[in-house]
Amino acid sequence: MREFDVVVVGSLNLDLVTRTTRLPGPGETVIGASYAEFPGGKGLNQAVAAARAGASVALVGAVGDDHAGTRLRAVAADEGIDVTHLATIDGQPTGRAIISVDDSGENSIIVVPGANARTAPADLPVGRVVVAQLEIPLTTVTEAFRMARGRGATTVLNPAPASALPTALLANCDVVVPNEHEVELLGGADRLLDAGVSQIVVTRGGAGVDVITRAPSLHLDAFPVDPVDTTGAGDAFCGALSSRLAAGDPLLTAVHFAAAAGALATTKPGAVPSQPYRSDIETMAASRPTIG
Ligand code: ADP
C-alpha cells in the first residue's frame, strides 16, 4: 500500500461570500453589491498547505453529489493531492459556508456541514503524519487517530472549532495545535499535558507561537510581515508543520518552518490561494536562525 507523508482527515466547504452595505435584519431583504465563491474547509486548506510545503498528501473527507463537490475534488486533485479517499455522499449537499460581509467588515456566517458530517475513517490511507481538525464528527477523528497510532504514525490535532475533547481522543494525540482562543476554551495547555498530550503548539497570530511540553516552554516570535488577510494562517501553519514532521524534522525546526508559512499566508487574500510554496517558506525560514 502506498505511504503518504501526510494524511489529512477533514472538511471541504464551498464558501459563498456576499458583500452588502449593511447586513439584513430578521425578515428583511437587502440588495447585495457582489457575490463570489471560494474553496475552503479546514481539511482542504490544510491539505493544500501540506502539499505546497512539499509533502505527498491524501485527503480523507466527504463531498455531496453536486457541482460544489465536483469543483472541490478538482481543486484538491489540481494540487496533486490524492483524492481516492474523498467520498461522494448521495443525497447530501457539499459543505457550505454562507458568508455576508458589510461595509464596516462585520459579518454573519452560516455553516452547513452537509456531507462533512458523514466523513468516515473506514479505509484510512497510511501516512507518516495524520492531521485532523474538528469540522467533521469527533468520533471520526477519534477513530482515525486510534488507527493511525496503531500503525505508528504521528497524529496532529488542530482543535478548531474548539470543542470538548474526549479522553479517548487526547490519549491518541501526539501534537495539539490550538490558537490562543482555542487553548483557553480547552482549559489551558496544562490540562492537555495532564491528559497525556506530549506536545502543544499554541499559535498566537502576530504574537508568534508557544511550544509547551514537559520541558520548559519556548516562545518563537512571528516573522515580521505586513498582513493583508489573516484567513488561512492557522491552516498554513498546521499543513506546513505536518509536512516537516513527516520529513523527520524535530518539533522546533518544524514549528520554525510552519511559522514562516503562517506569516506568508497573511500576505495574500483568501484561504486556499494564499497558501505558500516550499521555496518561499524556506527563504523566509532562513531569514532567522532556528531555535532549540
Ligand atoms: P488561526 O488562523 O488559527 O487563528 P493564528 O492567527 O494564530 O492562527 O496564525 C497561525 C500562525 O501564523 C501564527 O502562529 C504565526 O506564526 C503566523 N501568523 C499569523 N498572523 C501573523 C502575523 N500578523 N504576522 C506574522 N505571522 C503571523
Side-chain angles (χ1 to χ4, degrees), residues 11-17 36-46 48 52 68-76 78-79 94-97 99 135 231-232 235 269-275:
S11 60
L12 300 91
N13 287 329
L14 190 63
D15 295 349
L16 317 182
V17 182
E37 298 183 349
F38 302 97
K42 289 180 186 298
L44 179 59
N45 295 345
Q46 294 187 16
V48 171
R52 291 190 182 176
T70 308
R71 183 159 161 209
L72 295 178
R73 183 182 293 279
V75 167
D78 286 351
E79 297 283 340
T94 295
R96 299 285 204 290
I99 303 169
E135 291 182 337
T231 315
D235 293 333
V272 167
S274 72
Q275 295 303 324

Side-chain angles (χ1 to χ4, degrees), residues 36-150:
E37 298 183 349
F38 302 97
K42 289 180 186 298
L44 179 59
N45 295 345
Q46 294 187 16
V48 171
R52 291 190 182 176
S56 62
V57 179
L59 175 56
V60 177
V63 293
D65 57 347
D66 52 16
H67 77 275
T70 308
R71 183 159 161 209
L72 295 178
R73 183 182 293 279
V75 167
D78 286 351
E79 297 283 340
I81 296 165
D82 184 284
V83 291
T84 315
H85 298 83
L86 184 57
T88 299
I89 312 289
D90 288 341
Q92 282 290 319
T94 295
R96 299 285 204 290
I98 299 165
I99 303 169
S100 305
V101 185
D102 75 10
D103 283 349
S104 72
E106 186 63 71
N107 62 32
S108 80
I109 303 177
I110 299 175
V111 174
V112 182
N116 290 309
R118 303 288 186 90
T119 304
D123 50 354
L124 188 75
V126 178
R128 292 175 195 278
V129 170
V130 175
V131 56
Q133 321 75 29
L134 300 180
E135 291 182 337
I136 57 171
L138 262 177
T139 49
T140 300
V141 179
T142 304
E143 177 60 10
F145 276 19
R146 195 189 59 73
M147 289 165 72
R149 267 286 195 81

Side-chain angles (χ1 to χ4, degrees), residues 81-290:
I81 296 165
D82 184 284
V83 291
T84 315
H85 298 83
L86 184 57
T88 299
I89 312 289
D90 288 341
Q92 282 290 319
T94 295
R96 299 285 204 290
I98 299 165
I99 303 169
S100 305
V101 185
D102 75 10
D103 283 349
S104 72
E106 186 63 71
N107 62 32
S108 80
I109 303 177
I110 299 175
V111 174
V112 182
N116 290 309
R118 303 288 186 90
T119 304
D123 50 354
L124 188 75
V126 178
R128 292 175 195 278
V129 170
V130 175
V131 56
Q133 321 75 29
L134 300 180
E135 291 182 337
I136 57 171
L138 262 177
T139 49
T140 300
V141 179
T142 304
E143 177 60 10
F145 276 19
R146 195 189 59 73
M147 289 165 72
R149 267 286 195 81
R151 295 169 178 166
T154 298
T155 55
V156 177
L157 178 67
N158 174 218
S163 130
L165 300 178
T167 324
L169 173 55
L170 286 171
N172 284 312
C173 290
D174 291 305
V175 188
V176 177
V177 189
N179 68 17
E180 52 199 327
H181 310 293
E182 289 149 4
V183 74
E184 293 312 318
L185 289 167
L186 292 170
D190 286 344
R191 193 147 157 213
L192 296 174
L193 283 178
D194 290 344
V197 180
S198 55
Q199 298 169 322
I200 299 139
V201 178
V202 182
T203 65
R204 299 188 183 280
V209 190
D210 290 333
V211 178
I212 299 159
T213 60
R214 290 271 170 217
S217 339
L218 282 167
H219 174 80
L220 280 81
D221 288 335
F223 286 85
V225 286
D226 288 323
V228 297
D229 175 8
T230 60
T231 315
D235 293 333
F237 187 97
C238 290
L241 181 78
S242 300
S243 81
R244 291 319 306 169
L245 291 175
D249 279 2
L251 182 66
L252 284 176
T253 313
V255 167
H256 178 87
F257 181 87
L264 283 170
T266 70
T267 63
K268 287 187 187 161
V272 167
S274 72
Q275 295 303 324
Y277 288 90
R278 181 176 184 164
S279 58
D280 295 326
I281 306 171
E282 281 173 345
T283 303
M284 172 146 300
S287 68
R288 212 168 62 192
T290 314

